[in-house]
Amino acid sequence: MVDVIETFSKWDAAEHLRTREDARLYLQACAEEDPGDGSLIRAALNDVARAGNMSKLASDAGMSREGLYKALSEHGNPTFATIMRITRALGLQVRITA
């Protein structure tokens, strides 16, 4: 009998976000599942940013590349204004619906 060793690699959402529609649907799903503290939305924006051109996104959002990385990092705490600048730079809008 041959022993089978299974190996796993870390799944990275950024590797699967290829279009603006992919990003929009992913962000929408994460917004719906966010625990209420914005942590899942911040993490999803990080994934979307990493899937694209981080330098261009930072420039379009009026931020430095380092500032964007810091704001969207695991320990980042971006302001609402920063979230709005990033979503607009991505060509997306934040909507509140009932």
Side-chain angles (χ1 to χ4, degrees):
M1 179 177 232
V2 176
D3 287 335
V4 176
I5 298 174
E6 291 186 43
T7 59
F8 299 94
S9 59
K10 184 177 178 186
W11 188 82
D12 187 357
E15 295 174 7
H16 305 278
L17 301 171
R18 294 181 176 89
T19 67
R20 181 184 290 179
E21 183 67 2
D22 291 344
R24 184 190 70 77
L25 291 170
Y26 178 61
L27 286 166
Q28 183 177 356
C30 289
E32 291 170 3
E33 296 297 323
D34 188 85
D37 62 1
S39 60
L40 191 54
I41 296 168
R42 182 211 31 83
L45 281 170
N46 184 23
D47 293 336
V48 171
R50 288 184 305 104
N53 183 331
M54 186 73 87
S55 296
K56 181 173 180 348
L57 177 59
S59 176
D60 291 349
M63 305 174 68
S64 69
R65 188 171 184 259
E66 295 78 20
L68 181 59
Y69 270 113
K70 183 178 178 182
L72 298 179
S73 73
E74 184 178 348
H75 300 291
N77 189 17
T79 65
F80 187 71
T82 298
I83 296 296
M84 292 300 294
R85 288 197 322 257
I86 293 168
T87 55
R88 286 188 177 156
L90 288 168
L92 301 171
Q93 297 177 348
V94 174
R95 292 189 180 198
I96 310 298
T97 60

PDB file of all heavy atoms in Angstrom, residues 2 8-9 16 18 23-26 29 35-36 38 41 49 54 56 60 62 64-66 69-70 76-77 84-85 97:
ATOM      1  N   VAL A   2       0.541   2.227  -0.808  1.00  0.00           N
ATOM      2  CA  VAL A   2       1.315   3.447  -0.933  1.00  0.00           C
ATOM      3  C   VAL A   2       0.646   4.543  -0.113  1.00  0.00           C
ATOM      4  O   VAL A   2      -0.560   4.749  -0.206  1.00  0.00           O
ATOM      5  CB  VAL A   2       1.396   3.875  -2.419  1.00  0.00           C
ATOM      6  CG1 VAL A   2       2.123   5.189  -2.547  1.00  0.00           C
ATOM      7  CG2 VAL A   2       2.037   2.801  -3.258  1.00  0.00           C
ATOM      8  N   PHE A   8      -1.518  21.176   0.627  1.00  0.00           N
ATOM      9  CA  PHE A   8      -2.458  22.249   0.364  1.00  0.00           C
ATOM     10  C   PHE A   8      -1.694  23.552   0.254  1.00  0.00           C
ATOM     11  O   PHE A   8      -0.679  23.750   0.915  1.00  0.00           O
ATOM     12  CB  PHE A   8      -3.484  22.368   1.504  1.00  0.00           C
ATOM     13  CG  PHE A   8      -4.310  21.129   1.678  1.00  0.00           C
ATOM     14  CD1 PHE A   8      -3.944  20.142   2.582  1.00  0.00           C
ATOM     15  CD2 PHE A   8      -5.457  20.946   0.929  1.00  0.00           C
ATOM     16  CE1 PHE A   8      -4.702  19.003   2.739  1.00  0.00           C
ATOM     17  CE2 PHE A   8      -6.225  19.802   1.082  1.00  0.00           C
ATOM     18  CZ  PHE A   8      -5.851  18.827   1.982  1.00  0.00           C
ATOM     19  N   SER A   9      -2.194  24.420  -0.566  1.00  0.00           N
ATOM     20  CA  SER A   9      -1.618  25.754  -0.644  1.00  0.00           C
ATOM     21  C   SER A   9      -2.687  26.753  -0.225  1.00  0.00           C
ATOM     22  O   SER A   9      -3.885  26.476  -0.292  1.00  0.00           O
ATOM     23  CB  SER A   9      -1.128  26.054  -2.065  1.00  0.00           C
ATOM     24  OG  SER A   9      -2.197  25.964  -2.976  1.00  0.00           O
ATOM     25  N   HIS A  16      -8.072  35.041  -8.560  1.00  0.00           N
ATOM     26  CA  HIS A  16      -9.298  34.674  -9.260  1.00  0.00           C
ATOM     27  C   HIS A  16     -10.138  35.876  -9.685  1.00  0.00           C
ATOM     28  O   HIS A  16     -11.199  35.701 -10.267  1.00  0.00           O
ATOM     29  CB  HIS A  16     -10.133  33.734  -8.384  1.00  0.00           C
ATOM     30  CG  HIS A  16      -9.368  32.527  -7.958  1.00  0.00           C
ATOM     31  ND1 HIS A  16      -9.216  31.421  -8.763  1.00  0.00           N
ATOM     32  CD2 HIS A  16      -8.671  32.269  -6.826  1.00  0.00           C
ATOM     33  CE1 HIS A  16      -8.464  30.528  -8.138  1.00  0.00           C
ATOM     34  NE2 HIS A  16      -8.136  31.015  -6.961  1.00  0.00           N
ATOM     35  N   ARG A  18     -10.424  38.527 -12.125  1.00  0.00           N
ATOM     36  CA  ARG A  18      -9.851  38.882 -13.425  1.00  0.00           C
ATOM     37  C   ARG A  18     -10.534  40.068 -14.101  1.00  0.00           C
ATOM     38  O   ARG A  18      -9.951  40.708 -14.951  1.00  0.00           O
ATOM     39  CB  ARG A  18      -9.872  37.662 -14.338  1.00  0.00           C
ATOM     40  CG  ARG A  18      -8.953  36.566 -13.834  1.00  0.00           C
ATOM     41  CD  ARG A  18      -8.942  35.354 -14.749  1.00  0.00           C
ATOM     42  NE  ARG A  18      -7.982  34.374 -14.288  1.00  0.00           N
ATOM     43  CZ  ARG A  18      -8.243  33.403 -13.434  1.00  0.00           C
ATOM     44  NH1 ARG A  18      -9.442  33.288 -12.917  1.00  0.00           N
ATOM     45  NH2 ARG A  18      -7.313  32.543 -13.073  1.00  0.00           N
ATOM     46  N   ALA A  23     -14.622  41.557  -9.467  1.00  0.00           N
ATOM     47  CA  ALA A  23     -14.336  42.365  -8.281  1.00  0.00           C
ATOM     48  C   ALA A  23     -15.627  42.875  -7.650  1.00  0.00           C
ATOM     49  O   ALA A  23     -15.797  42.827  -6.428  1.00  0.00           O
ATOM     50  CB  ALA A  23     -13.419  43.529  -8.644  1.00  0.00           C
ATOM     51  N   ARG A  24     -16.548  43.341  -8.493  1.00  0.00           N
ATOM     52  CA  ARG A  24     -17.808  43.871  -7.981  1.00  0.00           C
ATOM     53  C   ARG A  24     -18.601  42.795  -7.237  1.00  0.00           C
ATOM     54  O   ARG A  24     -19.074  43.013  -6.108  1.00  0.00           O
ATOM     55  CB  ARG A  24     -18.660  44.432  -9.125  1.00  0.00           C
ATOM     56  CG  ARG A  24     -19.957  45.091  -8.632  1.00  0.00           C
ATOM     57  CD  ARG A  24     -20.887  45.429  -9.778  1.00  0.00           C
ATOM     58  NE  ARG A  24     -21.472  44.245 -10.401  1.00  0.00           N
ATOM     59  CZ  ARG A  24     -22.484  43.542  -9.871  1.00  0.00           C
ATOM     60  NH1 ARG A  24     -22.989  43.854  -8.696  1.00  0.00           N
ATOM     61  NH2 ARG A  24     -22.975  42.490 -10.516  1.00  0.00           N
ATOM     62  N   LEU A  25     -18.718  41.637  -7.840  1.00  0.00           N
ATOM     63  CA  LEU A  25     -19.468  40.554  -7.210  1.00  0.00           C
ATOM     64  C   LEU A  25     -18.801  40.085  -5.917  1.00  0.00           C
ATOM     65  O   LEU A  25     -19.477  39.790  -4.921  1.00  0.00           O
ATOM     66  CB  LEU A  25     -19.640  39.390  -8.185  1.00  0.00           C
ATOM     67  CG  LEU A  25     -20.562  39.674  -9.373  1.00  0.00           C
ATOM     68  CD1 LEU A  25     -20.460  38.555 -10.404  1.00  0.00           C
ATOM     69  CD2 LEU A  25     -21.992  39.882  -8.918  1.00  0.00           C
ATOM     70  N   TYR A  26     -17.491  40.010  -5.925  1.00  0.00           N
ATOM     71  CA  TYR A  26     -16.741  39.603  -4.730  1.00  0.00           C
ATOM     72  C   TYR A  26     -16.938  40.619  -3.607  1.00  0.00           C
ATOM     73  O   TYR A  26     -17.232  40.253  -2.460  1.00  0.00           O
ATOM     74  CB  TYR A  26     -15.268  39.457  -5.101  1.00  0.00           C
ATOM     75  CG  TYR A  26     -14.361  39.080  -3.969  1.00  0.00           C
ATOM     76  CD1 TYR A  26     -14.528  37.885  -3.266  1.00  0.00           C
ATOM     77  CD2 TYR A  26     -13.303  39.901  -3.608  1.00  0.00           C
ATOM     78  CE1 TYR A  26     -13.678  37.535  -2.238  1.00  0.00           C
ATOM     79  CE2 TYR A  26     -12.435  39.552  -2.586  1.00  0.00           C
ATOM     80  CZ  TYR A  26     -12.632  38.370  -1.900  1.00  0.00           C
ATOM     81  OH  TYR A  26     -11.788  38.025  -0.887  1.00  0.00           O
ATOM     82  N   ALA A  29     -20.497  40.381  -2.208  1.00  0.00           N
ATOM     83  CA  ALA A  29     -20.661  39.217  -1.327  1.00  0.00           C
ATOM     84  C   ALA A  29     -19.986  39.454   0.012  1.00  0.00           C
ATOM     85  O   ALA A  29     -20.549  39.123   1.070  1.00  0.00           O
ATOM     86  CB  ALA A  29     -20.096  37.970  -1.999  1.00  0.00           C
ATOM     87  N   PRO A  35     -18.877  41.183   9.283  1.00  0.00           N
ATOM     88  CA  PRO A  35     -19.436  41.065  10.634  1.00  0.00           C
ATOM     89  C   PRO A  35     -19.902  42.390  11.244  1.00  0.00           C
ATOM     90  O   PRO A  35     -20.392  42.404  12.365  1.00  0.00           O
ATOM     91  CB  PRO A  35     -18.280  40.463  11.441  1.00  0.00           C
ATOM     92  CG  PRO A  35     -17.051  40.879  10.713  1.00  0.00           C
ATOM     93  CD  PRO A  35     -17.440  40.908   9.255  1.00  0.00           C
ATOM     94  N   GLY A  36     -19.773  43.482  10.505  1.00  0.00           N
ATOM     95  CA  GLY A  36     -20.235  44.762  11.028  1.00  0.00           C
ATOM     96  C   GLY A  36     -19.120  45.708  11.397  1.00  0.00           C
ATOM     97  O   GLY A  36     -19.375  46.862  11.742  1.00  0.00           O
ATOM     98  N   GLY A  38     -16.396  46.142   9.238  1.00  0.00           N
ATOM     99  CA  GLY A  38     -15.711  46.517   8.008  1.00  0.00           C
ATOM    100  C   GLY A  38     -14.490  45.685   7.680  1.00  0.00           C
ATOM    101  O   GLY A  38     -13.858  45.893   6.643  1.00  0.00           O
ATOM    102  N   ILE A  41     -14.788  43.744   4.353  1.00  0.00           N
ATOM    103  CA  ILE A  41     -14.758  44.676   3.222  1.00  0.00           C
ATOM    104  C   ILE A  41     -13.331  45.158   2.988  1.00  0.00           C
ATOM    105  O   ILE A  41     -12.859  45.215   1.853  1.00  0.00           O
ATOM    106  CB  ILE A  41     -15.718  45.858   3.459  1.00  0.00           C
ATOM    107  CG1 ILE A  41     -17.154  45.340   3.521  1.00  0.00           C
ATOM    108  CG2 ILE A  41     -15.554  46.923   2.373  1.00  0.00           C
ATOM    109  CD1 ILE A  41     -18.149  46.349   4.018  1.00  0.00           C
ATOM    110  N   ALA A  49      -7.367  45.040  -4.899  1.00  0.00           N
ATOM    111  CA  ALA A  49      -6.213  45.896  -5.210  1.00  0.00           C
ATOM    112  C   ALA A  49      -5.018  45.056  -5.650  1.00  0.00           C
ATOM    113  O   ALA A  49      -4.337  45.380  -6.626  1.00  0.00           O
ATOM    114  CB  ALA A  49      -5.855  46.748  -3.992  1.00  0.00           C
ATOM    115  N   MET A  54      -1.564  47.812  -8.278  1.00  0.00           N
ATOM    116  CA  MET A  54      -1.605  48.523  -6.994  1.00  0.00           C
ATOM    117  C   MET A  54      -1.111  49.962  -7.133  1.00  0.00           C
ATOM    118  O   MET A  54      -1.707  50.875  -6.564  1.00  0.00           O
ATOM    119  CB  MET A  54      -0.771  47.759  -5.960  1.00  0.00           C
ATOM    120  CG  MET A  54      -0.855  48.299  -4.568  1.00  0.00           C
ATOM    121  SD  MET A  54      -2.404  47.969  -3.718  1.00  0.00           S
ATOM    122  CE  MET A  54      -2.092  46.377  -3.021  1.00  0.00           C
ATOM    123  N   LYS A  56      -1.163  51.963  -9.809  1.00  0.00           N
ATOM    124  CA  LYS A  56      -2.150  52.779 -10.531  1.00  0.00           C
ATOM    125  C   LYS A  56      -3.359  53.054  -9.648  1.00  0.00           C
ATOM    126  O   LYS A  56      -3.868  54.180  -9.617  1.00  0.00           O
ATOM    127  CB  LYS A  56      -2.580  52.089 -11.820  1.00  0.00           C
ATOM    128  CG  LYS A  56      -3.595  52.907 -12.619  1.00  0.00           C
ATOM    129  CD  LYS A  56      -3.882  52.285 -13.949  1.00  0.00           C
ATOM    130  CE  LYS A  56      -4.885  53.040 -14.796  1.00  0.00           C
ATOM    131  NZ  LYS A  56      -5.668  54.086 -14.234  1.00  0.00           N
ATOM    132  N   ASP A  60      -4.709  56.665  -8.670  1.00  0.00           N
ATOM    133  CA  ASP A  60      -6.091  57.047  -8.989  1.00  0.00           C
ATOM    134  C   ASP A  60      -6.872  57.427  -7.739  1.00  0.00           C
ATOM    135  O   ASP A  60      -7.796  58.239  -7.807  1.00  0.00           O
ATOM    136  CB  ASP A  60      -6.812  55.905  -9.714  1.00  0.00           C
ATOM    137  CG  ASP A  60      -6.286  55.660 -11.118  1.00  0.00           C
ATOM    138  OD1 ASP A  60      -5.496  56.489 -11.629  1.00  0.00           O
ATOM    139  OD2 ASP A  60      -6.654  54.617 -11.706  1.00  0.00           O
ATOM    140  N   GLY A  62      -5.517  58.876  -5.181  1.00  0.00           N
ATOM    141  CA  GLY A  62      -4.855  60.018  -4.548  1.00  0.00           C
ATOM    142  C   GLY A  62      -4.049  59.634  -3.323  1.00  0.00           C
ATOM    143  O   GLY A  62      -3.933  60.406  -2.381  1.00  0.00           O
ATOM    144  N   SER A  64      -0.450  57.251  -1.764  1.00  0.00           N
ATOM    145  CA  SER A  64       0.810  56.605  -2.103  1.00  0.00           C
ATOM    146  C   SER A  64       0.579  55.095  -2.122  1.00  0.00           C
ATOM    147  O   SER A  64      -0.376  54.597  -1.505  1.00  0.00           O
ATOM    148  CB  SER A  64       1.895  56.944  -1.072  1.00  0.00           C
ATOM    149  OG  SER A  64       1.598  56.326   0.177  1.00  0.00           O
ATOM    150  N   ARG A  65       1.432  54.393  -2.820  1.00  0.00           N
ATOM    151  CA  ARG A  65       1.322  52.933  -2.864  1.00  0.00           C
ATOM    152  C   ARG A  65       1.451  52.348  -1.452  1.00  0.00           C
ATOM    153  O   ARG A  65       0.707  51.460  -1.054  1.00  0.00           O
ATOM    154  CB  ARG A  65       2.418  52.382  -3.783  1.00  0.00           C
ATOM    155  CG  ARG A  65       2.311  50.914  -4.067  1.00  0.00           C
ATOM    156  CD  ARG A  65       3.327  50.555  -5.168  1.00  0.00           C
ATOM    157  NE  ARG A  65       3.194  49.179  -5.548  1.00  0.00           N
ATOM    158  CZ  ARG A  65       3.990  48.202  -5.135  1.00  0.00           C
ATOM    159  NH1 ARG A  65       5.003  48.476  -4.340  1.00  0.00           N
ATOM    160  NH2 ARG A  65       3.802  46.965  -5.525  1.00  0.00           N
ATOM    161  N   GLU A  66       2.395  52.887  -0.690  1.00  0.00           N
ATOM    162  CA  GLU A  66       2.610  52.421   0.681  1.00  0.00           C
ATOM    163  C   GLU A  66       1.393  52.709   1.552  1.00  0.00           C
ATOM    164  O   GLU A  66       1.015  51.901   2.399  1.00  0.00           O
ATOM    165  CB  GLU A  66       3.864  53.063   1.294  1.00  0.00           C
ATOM    166  CG  GLU A  66       5.151  52.681   0.616  1.00  0.00           C
ATOM    167  CD  GLU A  66       5.407  53.417  -0.710  1.00  0.00           C
ATOM    168  OE1 GLU A  66       4.791  54.496  -0.949  1.00  0.00           O
ATOM    169  OE2 GLU A  66       6.193  52.902  -1.523  1.00  0.00           O
ATOM    170  N   TYR A  69      -1.280  50.143   0.704  1.00  0.00           N
ATOM    171  CA  TYR A  69      -0.952  48.864   1.342  1.00  0.00           C
ATOM    172  C   TYR A  69      -1.274  48.913   2.836  1.00  0.00           C
ATOM    173  O   TYR A  69      -1.876  47.984   3.375  1.00  0.00           O
ATOM    174  CB  TYR A  69       0.533  48.533   1.167  1.00  0.00           C
ATOM    175  CG  TYR A  69       0.863  47.747  -0.062  1.00  0.00           C
ATOM    176  CD1 TYR A  69       1.614  48.311  -1.087  1.00  0.00           C
ATOM    177  CD2 TYR A  69       0.451  46.422  -0.225  1.00  0.00           C
ATOM    178  CE1 TYR A  69       1.940  47.589  -2.222  1.00  0.00           C
ATOM    179  CE2 TYR A  69       0.769  45.693  -1.350  1.00  0.00           C
ATOM    180  CZ  TYR A  69       1.512  46.281  -2.346  1.00  0.00           C
ATOM    181  OH  TYR A  69       1.828  45.564  -3.466  1.00  0.00           O
ATOM    182  N   LYS A  70      -0.879  49.985   3.491  1.00  0.00           N
ATOM    183  CA  LYS A  70      -1.093  50.102   4.939  1.00  0.00           C
ATOM    184  C   LYS A  70      -2.587  50.150   5.273  1.00  0.00           C
ATOM    185  O   LYS A  70      -3.046  49.456   6.185  1.00  0.00           O
ATOM    186  CB  LYS A  70      -0.399  51.355   5.476  1.00  0.00           C
ATOM    187  CG  LYS A  70      -0.518  51.513   6.967  1.00  0.00           C
ATOM    188  CD  LYS A  70       0.230  52.729   7.466  1.00  0.00           C
ATOM    189  CE  LYS A  70       0.049  52.883   8.959  1.00  0.00           C
ATOM    190  NZ  LYS A  70       0.722  54.070   9.467  1.00  0.00           N
ATOM    191  N   GLY A  76      -4.774  47.284   9.097  1.00  0.00           N
ATOM    192  CA  GLY A  76      -5.157  48.615   8.646  1.00  0.00           C
ATOM    193  C   GLY A  76      -6.529  48.997   9.166  1.00  0.00           C
ATOM    194  O   GLY A  76      -7.353  48.146   9.505  1.00  0.00           O
ATOM    195  N   ASN A  77      -6.749  50.279   9.244  1.00  0.00           N
ATOM    196  CA  ASN A  77      -8.034  50.799   9.699  1.00  0.00           C
ATOM    197  C   ASN A  77      -8.358  52.031   8.851  1.00  0.00           C
ATOM    198  O   ASN A  77      -8.305  53.156   9.327  1.00  0.00           O
ATOM    199  CB  ASN A  77      -7.967  51.151  11.183  1.00  0.00           C
ATOM    200  CG  ASN A  77      -9.338  51.476  11.750  1.00  0.00           C
ATOM    201  OD1 ASN A  77     -10.348  51.155  11.156  1.00  0.00           O
ATOM    202  ND2 ASN A  77      -9.354  52.128  12.896  1.00  0.00           N
ATOM    203  N   MET A  84     -14.026  55.228   0.221  1.00  0.00           N
ATOM    204  CA  MET A  84     -14.725  55.853  -0.900  1.00  0.00           C
ATOM    205  C   MET A  84     -13.768  56.170  -2.042  1.00  0.00           C
ATOM    206  O   MET A  84     -14.090  55.932  -3.215  1.00  0.00           O
ATOM    207  CB  MET A  84     -15.452  57.126  -0.431  1.00  0.00           C
ATOM    208  CG  MET A  84     -16.608  56.861   0.506  1.00  0.00           C
ATOM    209  SD  MET A  84     -17.906  55.828  -0.207  1.00  0.00           S
ATOM    210  CE  MET A  84     -18.501  56.908  -1.490  1.00  0.00           C
ATOM    211  N   ARG A  85     -12.592  56.704  -1.738  1.00  0.00           N
ATOM    212  CA  ARG A  85     -11.611  57.021  -2.793  1.00  0.00           C
ATOM    213  C   ARG A  85     -11.171  55.756  -3.512  1.00  0.00           C
ATOM    214  O   ARG A  85     -11.019  55.746  -4.736  1.00  0.00           O
ATOM    215  CB  ARG A  85     -10.403  57.750  -2.198  1.00  0.00           C
ATOM    216  CG  ARG A  85     -10.712  59.173  -1.780  1.00  0.00           C
ATOM    217  CD  ARG A  85      -9.490  60.042  -1.585  1.00  0.00           C
ATOM    218  NE  ARG A  85      -8.350  59.397  -0.978  1.00  0.00           N
ATOM    219  CZ  ARG A  85      -7.960  59.544   0.287  1.00  0.00           C
ATOM    220  NH1 ARG A  85      -8.654  60.313   1.103  1.00  0.00           N
ATOM    221  NH2 ARG A  85      -6.889  58.941   0.739  1.00  0.00           N
ATOM    222  N   THR A  97     -28.842  50.049   0.377  1.00  0.00           N
ATOM    223  CA  THR A  97     -30.192  49.665  -0.022  1.00  0.00           C
ATOM    224  C   THR A  97     -30.884  48.945   1.127  1.00  0.00           C
ATOM    225  O   THR A  97     -30.236  48.459   2.049  1.00  0.00           O
ATOM    226  CB  THR A  97     -30.170  48.714  -1.245  1.00  0.00           C
ATOM    227  OG1 THR A  97     -29.448  47.546  -0.891  1.00  0.00           O
ATOM    228  CG2 THR A  97     -29.524  49.380  -2.440  1.00  0.00           C
TER     229      THR A  97
END
